[in-house]
C-alpha cells in the first residue's frame, strides 16, 4: 500500500539574529491510512516543527523548508499557498496542544466548529451546518451536543475542550490527523479517554494519524510506529512493538526510564535524562546526544566527531543512529534497565 503521507529528507531552518536554527535536519518517514505514527522527543527536538511543515504552516518569510512532503500522492513543498491550504482543510487537520489558546473565548464552541466546516463547504445551508456540527460534537463524546453548541469554551471542562478541538479537526472528515501533544494538559483518566477516542475515530474512518508527544507511554498506548527525534534528527525509528521492547538508542532508553506507565508503577522514582537538549543554533559536533550520553567515551572518539547515520537495527524497518555496535547496545541497555530498577 502506498503511504498516505510520505516525508523525505525534510529540513526546516530559521534565520535568527543569533544564527541559523536547524529545527529539522533531514527527517524521513511514511504513514499509511489506518496507522498511527508517534513522533517522540523532548521540547526542541524538532517534532512540532515537523508537524507544522506537513501542514504548510511555517511562515515562508521566516522559515526555509526543503525536502519532499507527499500527501495522497501530491507534493506539498514549494506549492502555492492557496493549493496547500485547500488540501490542508479537506485532507489534513490538526489537533493542537492547548485548546484554550486555539478556541476563541468570545464565541460559542458550536459556532467555531461550524466555521471550520463552512470554510470547505461554503454553499452549505444553516440547518445543514448546524446538524453536521451537533453530530460531530456527539461523535467525540460531548454530551447533550444541542445544548453544548451554544456554550462558550470557559463553560467546558479541560477534557471537553479537548474533545471540542477534536470535533473541529474531524468536522471535515480528514484523511490525515496531526495531533500535537493532545493529552499533555489532561489528567490520566481523561487522557486515556481522548486516546481511546482517537483510536475509535481511526478505526471508523481509516484515518492516518501523526501523534506528536514527549511521552513514550502515550505512544505505547496508541501508535503503530514510532520516530524518536533528538536535536532535529531521527535517532531511532521502527514499529512500536519493536522499539519499546528492544530499544537501541541510549536516548530512547532515557525516555523509557522516565515513563511510569511502561513500568507499571506510577509512583516509581523515575530517572530523567541528565542535562538538557542542545541549542539548535549550536548543535554539538558528531552525535548531538554525546554530551548527555554515558557511552560517548566508548567509540574511540567517533561520538564526538562523526554524525551517526540511521542504520538497520536487526528487524525490518527498525533503524538506529548510534556508533555503538549491536552487541554493545544490547549489553548496555540490559545494564541500564538493571540500574533503573535498582534506583526504584
Ligand atoms: Fe551515545 Fe555515541 Fe551512540 Fe550518540 S553515537 S548515542 S553519543 S554512544
Amino acid at each position: 500500500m502506498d503511504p498516505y503521507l510520505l516525508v523525505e529528507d525534510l529540513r526546516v531552518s530559521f534565520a535568527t539574529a543569533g544564527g541559523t536554527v536547524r529545527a529539522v535536519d533531514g527527517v524521513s518517514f511514511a504513514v499509511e491510512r489506518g496507522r498511527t505514527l508517534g513522533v517522540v522527543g523532548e521540547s526542541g527536538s524538532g517534532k512540532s516543527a515537523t508537524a507544522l511543515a506537513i501542514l504548510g504552516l511555517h511562515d515562508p518569510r521566516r522559515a526555509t523548508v526543503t525536502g519532499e512532503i507527499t500527501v495522497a500522492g501530491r507534493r506539498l513543498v514549494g506549492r502555492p499557498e492557496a493549493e496547500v491550504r485547500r488540501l490542508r482543510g479537506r485532507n489534513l487537520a490538526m489537533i493542537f496542544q492547548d485548546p484554550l489558546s486555539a478556541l476563541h473565548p468570545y464565541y460559542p464552541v458550536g459556532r467555531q466548529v461550524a466555521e471550520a466546516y463552512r470554510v470547505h463547504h461554503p454553499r452549505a445551508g444553516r440547518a445543514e451546518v448546524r446538524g453536521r456540527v451537533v453530530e460531530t460534537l456527539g461523535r467525540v463524546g460531548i454530551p447533550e451536543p444541542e445544548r453544548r453548541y451554544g456554550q462558550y469554551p470557559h463553560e467546558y471542562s479541560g477534557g471537553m475542550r479537548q474533545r471540542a478541538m477534536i470535533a473541529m479537526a474531524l468536522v471535515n472528515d480528514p484523511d490525515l490527523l496531526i495531533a500535537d501533544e493532545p493529552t499533555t494538559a489532561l489528567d490520566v483518566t481523561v487522557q486515556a479517554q481522548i486516546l481511546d477516542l482517537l483510536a475509535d475515530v481511526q478505526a471508523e474512518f481509516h484515518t492516518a494519524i501523526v501523534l506528536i508527544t514527549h511521552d513514550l507511554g502515550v505512544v505505547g498506548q496508541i501508535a503503530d510506529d514510532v520516530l524518536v527525534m533528538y536535536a532535529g534528527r531521527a535517532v531511532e525509528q521502527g514499529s512500536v512493538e519493536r522499539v519499546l521492547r528492544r530499544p537501541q538508542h541510549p536516548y530512547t532508553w532515557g525516555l523509557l526510564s522516565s515513563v511510569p506507565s511502561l513500568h507499571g508503577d506510577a509512583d516509581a522514582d523515575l530517572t530523567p535524562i541528565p542535562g538538557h537538549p542542545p541549542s539548535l543554533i549550536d548543535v554539538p559536533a558528531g552525535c548531538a546526544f554525546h554530551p548527555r550520553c554515558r557511552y560517548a567515551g566508548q567509540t574511540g572518539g567517533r561520538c564526538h566527531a562523526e554524525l551517526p547515520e540511521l542504520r538497520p537495527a536487526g528487524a525490518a524497518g527498525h533503524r538506529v543512529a548510534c556508533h555503538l555496535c549491536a552487541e554493545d547496545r544490547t549489553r548496555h541497555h540490559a545494564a541500564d534497565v538493571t540500574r533503573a530498577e535498582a534506583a526504584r
Side-chain angles (χ1 to χ4, degrees):
M1 190 197 293
D2 281 344
Y4 187 78
L5 167 68
L6 184 61
V7 173
E8 297 167 287
D9 198 25
L10 177 67
R11 290 167 201 268
V12 181
S13 60
F14 305 92
T16 70
T20 302
V21 174
R22 291 185 206 292
V24 185
D25 194 12
V27 167
S28 302
F29 57 86
V31 190
E32 290 172 12
R33 295 283 306 262
R35 287 184 77 84
T36 297
L37 171 75
V39 181
V40 194
E42 295 163 291
S43 56
S45 61
K47 54 195 196 310
S48 292
T50 301
L52 293 177
I54 297 168
L55 289 155
L57 290 178
H58 284 296
D59 181 346
R61 289 164 303 183
R62 288 194 59 231
T64 304
V65 180
T66 62
E68 278 301 346
I69 299 173
T70 309
V71 174
R74 275 168 290 181
R75 292 180 169 183
L76 293 193
V77 177
R79 290 279 176 210
E81 214 181 315
E83 197 180 315
V84 176
R85 211 179 309 128
R86 257 198 316 277
L87 183 71
R88 187 165 72 224
R90 253 199 334 262
N91 302 78
L92 281 67
M94 175 128 184
I95 300 168
F96 292 94
Q97 184 177 147
D98 176 8
L100 264 188
S101 61
L103 289 169
H104 197 293
Y106 298 147
Y107 293 104
V109 169
R111 192 167 144 195
Q112 297 188 53
V113 180
E115 281 309 312
Y117 185 68
R118 273 208 194 89
V119 169
H120 300 286
H121 300 83
R123 298 213 182 105
R126 276 184 70 165
E128 181 197 328
V129 174
R130 189 177 174 101
R132 172 69 184 175
V133 172
V134 168
E135 178 208 327
T136 310
L137 292 176
R139 200 164 108 199
V140 300
I142 292 178
E144 302 180 79
E146 273 286 358
R147 186 173 69 81
R148 290 287 193 162
Y149 184 103
Q151 289 187 333
Y152 291 83
H154 72 266
E155 297 176 271
Y156 279 50
S157 67
M160 283 299 155
R161 278 196 291 267
Q162 193 55 283
R163 285 174 193 269
M165 285 281 301
I166 296 174
M168 207 182 290
L170 292 184
V171 75
N172 290 304
D173 280 339
D175 300 318
L176 171 65
L177 257 186
I178 315 265
D180 189 0
E181 303 274 9
T183 59
T184 298
L186 306 173
D187 68 45
V188 178
T189 312
V190 181
Q191 174 173 312
Q193 289 169 357
I194 296 293
L195 293 178
D196 283 350
L197 171 62
L198 288 177
D200 289 349
V201 165
Q202 183 173 62
E204 194 176 346
F205 298 96
H206 215 51
T207 319
I209 297 179
V210 176
L211 176 78
I212 311 284
T213 178
H214 64 280
D215 185 345
L216 266 174
V218 167
V219 167
Q221 285 176 61
I222 187 174
D224 302 293
D225 300 293
V226 59
L227 167 73
V228 182
M229 288 187 73
Y230 189 78
R233 298 181 67 88
V235 295
E236 182 159 9
Q237 63 191 131
S239 72
V240 163
E241 205 206 346
R242 171 78 189 185
V243 172
L244 296 196
R245 271 163 143 229
R246 304 189 66 174
Q248 297 290 312
H249 197 280
Y251 180 59
T252 315
W253 304 342
L255 290 177
L256 279 167
S257 63
S258 42
V259 177
S261 50
L262 290 176
H263 297 281
D265 181 358
D267 299 324
D269 189 9
L270 303 169
T271 323
I273 303 169
H276 300 283
S279 152
L280 294 175
I281 292 179
D282 189 19
V283 176
C287 172
F289 188 56
H290 82 249
R292 304 171 74 185
C293 180
R294 67 167 73 225
Y295 310 107
Q298 302 190 10
T299 57
R302 287 179 78 199
C303 295
H304 296 76
E306 196 183 314
L307 184 67
E309 296 296 330
L310 268 179
R311 292 183 207 287
H318 190 182
R319 301 196 299 158
V320 63
C322 176
H323 290 311
L324 292 171
C325 66
E327 294 74 32
D328 283 349
R329 288 199 302 267
T330 305
R331 192 162 49 84
H332 291 320
H333 180 230
D336 214 68
V337 169
T338 309
R339 223 179 355 257
E341 277 167 3
R344 287 198 180 103

